[in-house]
Amino acid sequence: MTNHIRLKKWVEECAELTQSDDVVWCDGSLEEKERLEKQAFATGELIQLSQEKLPGCVYHRTAVDDVARTEHLTFICTSQKKDAGPINNWMSPEEGYERAGAIFRGSMRGRTMYVIPFSMGPIGSPFSKFGVELTDSIYVVLNMRIMTRMGKAVLDALGTDGEFTKALHGKAERDISRRLILQFPEDNTIWSVGSGYGGNVLLGKKCLSLRIASYMGWQEGWLAEHMLIIGIQDPESRTTYIAGAFPSACGKTNLAMLVPPDALEKKGFKVVTIGDDIAWMRIKEDGRLWAINPEYGFFGVAPGTNWETNPNAMVTTQRNTIYTNVLLKPDRTVWWEDGDGPPPAEGQDWEGNYWRPGVTDDEGKIITGANPNSRYTAPASQCPCIAPNWEDPEGVPISAIIVGGRRAHLAPLAYQSFDWQHGVFVGATMASERTAAQYGKLGEVRRDPMAMLPFCGYNTGDYFGHLLEMGKKLTKPPKLFHVNWFRTDEEGKFLWPGFGENLRVLDWVIRRCRDDADARETPIGYVPTPDALDMSGLDIPSEAMEKLLSISKEGWIEELKGIESFFGQFGDRLPKEMWNEYRALNQRFGLSTSR
Ligand code: O2Y
Ligand code: MN
């Protein structure tokens, strides 16, 4: 299969550690996919869905306590604790290898270990990185086949000595008390054991493309960001590319596949998708920031996805899709809450139990058919709005970066930072309020710098410094904006309709990049004047627009306190520029500060 000595030796070492019965090198072929599916159907690991209604689609359930990324079991293993920073869980590499090694030891007895060579980014692109994932899960192999470019072409590209991330995954007993997700950035290595789900096991995604890649980017002078990438075609047929960082559960996939409202579509607007989750960005000779989507598919949340909220995702997932933890209907199709049409009369829920609408548990709580974090894994190439150039190895030039979380009262609908350094401060201090569906106190502010809170593979203070350094090297930097689709009125009702209507804000953003849209200067940045947004075909009362664009001094005084304690934890690893921006914001509100 390969003459890559280091790779072969590492595979042998892992087979020895895990005592796998045999080792299968994946070639990425269709024949291999069908063979693995057949094996998984036979054991019940996968269920084949109706091939008439959902051709090429399969169904999978995970263990009930293995349905989401487990942040408290995720560690950055650097030699020095301070290099992982105050936000990450830290473990020494010695302890990490020892503790996970003890769980891996002998865990693949009676199982096959699959070798998945994969590329994040198009093979041959200057942006791309190779990885090899070893796993005892067919489900993981089939997901990686959708989410990455994988198989023989990658082995060929690796040649006899190419660099690759060593990514070892084992299900072990799938026991949460014996689960660890470890990143060793100094060794370019990932070890994940004891889980069978999503971000914990598809090691090309969060583990490599964000945690390991952010560290590589810091060392090598580029950026790995938790950002969608879209292209907006305007009535003059220009395409402007925007990257956007949003915390989980803020509608990133919907924004990435936005359908323009009728009035804007008639004017000639169109949105194309490059990626919905991760952006790798480099500075090119032209002084601009260029980005690729390193992924090959979408691993999207099913509940809430429907023909109204995201028709493009619905079309994408009609074939060749893996559904995880959704409701299985008697006709071997699938359903989820806030999905396509009314609930079926009955089905099997995500735990495999008989389900009908309204069924309750012992405490009288309604049981959902689909797990709230149930997912579809679907090829990006099937997305109707995928950009024709989404696989361009050179990437696309980014004109604007938008960031934003859920803020019920604080942040206006949109504002532009004064410059790159101020934009880094805006991104560094971004936050989201918890929704009822999330763990923690309702409305509690969770600061999520650049939406990288669970994904930065090194000290976040150094990360802010790296962003500042990148800005100094960019002669044509993207403009930086903050957006907030989630502002509410006194009754808690959203003031902004969101979804496709968000294009009105993106249109203002791209016009600001061309100095072609009005804004008023405020202490927090440039806020659109009410008539700067194209509101054709959308009727929002002027009082609501005023609220959406207003800034409450009291609210920002509270926010500044939160920012001060957030920054305080980084000690001397926080760049002085961040404190300068903190002081400047205080001053613009007429406040003095001891910092
Ligand atoms: O819970 C998981 O394992 C998936 S989390 C996820 C999946 C796709 C895109 N983004 C995320 C995220 O948490 O940001
Ligand atoms: Mn994400």
Side-chain angles (χ1 to χ4, degrees), residues 68-69 197-200 205-206 226 248 277 299 373 375 455:
R69 289 184 291 104
Y197 183 77
N200 284 345
K205 193 172 177 58
K206 303 298 187 179
H226 189 204
S248 312
D277 196 38
F299 186 60
N373 195 34
R375 298 271 163 174
F455 305 124

Side-chain angles (χ1 to χ4, degrees), residues 21-67:
D21 271 18
D22 59 358
V23 175
V24 169
W25 291 71
C26 297
D27 61 16
S29 66
L30 187 62
E31 180 279 318
E32 174 181 84
K33 170 185 180 268
E34 289 170 351
R35 174 168 44 83
L36 293 177
E37 280 178 351
K38 229 183 203 166
Q39 283 176 27
F41 296 150
T43 59
E45 184 176 349
L46 290 179
I47 295 173
Q48 188 170 39
L49 292 170
S50 161
Q51 294 304 290
E52 299 83 63
K53 293 177 181 158
L54 293 170
C57 294
V58 300
Y59 178 90
H60 177 75
R61 284 191 190 98
T62 62
V64 292
D65 62 354
D66 192 15
V67 293

Side-chain angles (χ1 to χ4, degrees), residues 172-228:
E173 309 97 321
R174 267 176 297 199
D175 172 351
I176 191 159
S177 68
R178 283 163 62 77
R179 181 176 301 161
L180 287 169
I181 319 300
L182 308 180
Q183 282 72 201
F184 303 88
E186 293 156 358
D187 299 346
N188 196 8
T189 294
I190 303 160
W191 276 22
S192 161
V193 69
S195 171
Y197 183 77
N200 284 345
V201 301
L202 310 180
L203 302 185
K205 193 172 177 58
K206 303 298 187 179
C207 303
L208 193 163
S209 291
L210 288 176
R211 298 193 190 102
I212 295 287
S214 60
Y215 175 86
M216 286 177 172
W218 177 44
Q219 300 289 306
E220 297 169 8
W222 53 281
L223 292 169
E225 296 297 331
H226 189 204
M227 290 184 189
L228 60 82

Side-chain angles (χ1 to χ4, degrees), residues 2 20 59 63 91 93 131 137 171 174 232 256 281 330 385 391 429 451 503 505 580:
T2 178
S20 65
Y59 178 90
M91 204 184 273
S137 161
K171 295 180 284 190
R174 267 176 297 199
I232 299 176
M281 310 203 278
C385 60
E391 294 201 80
T429 55
L503 181 55
V505 174
N580 293 344

Side-chain angles (χ1 to χ4, degrees), residues 94 100 119 141 157 168 307 321 327 387 444 552 569 574 587:
E94 295 73 32
S119 175
V141 177
L168 173 62
W307 292 98
T321 294
L327 178 104
E444 192 178 54
S552 142
Q569 66 185 317
L574 190 80
Q587 275 158 15

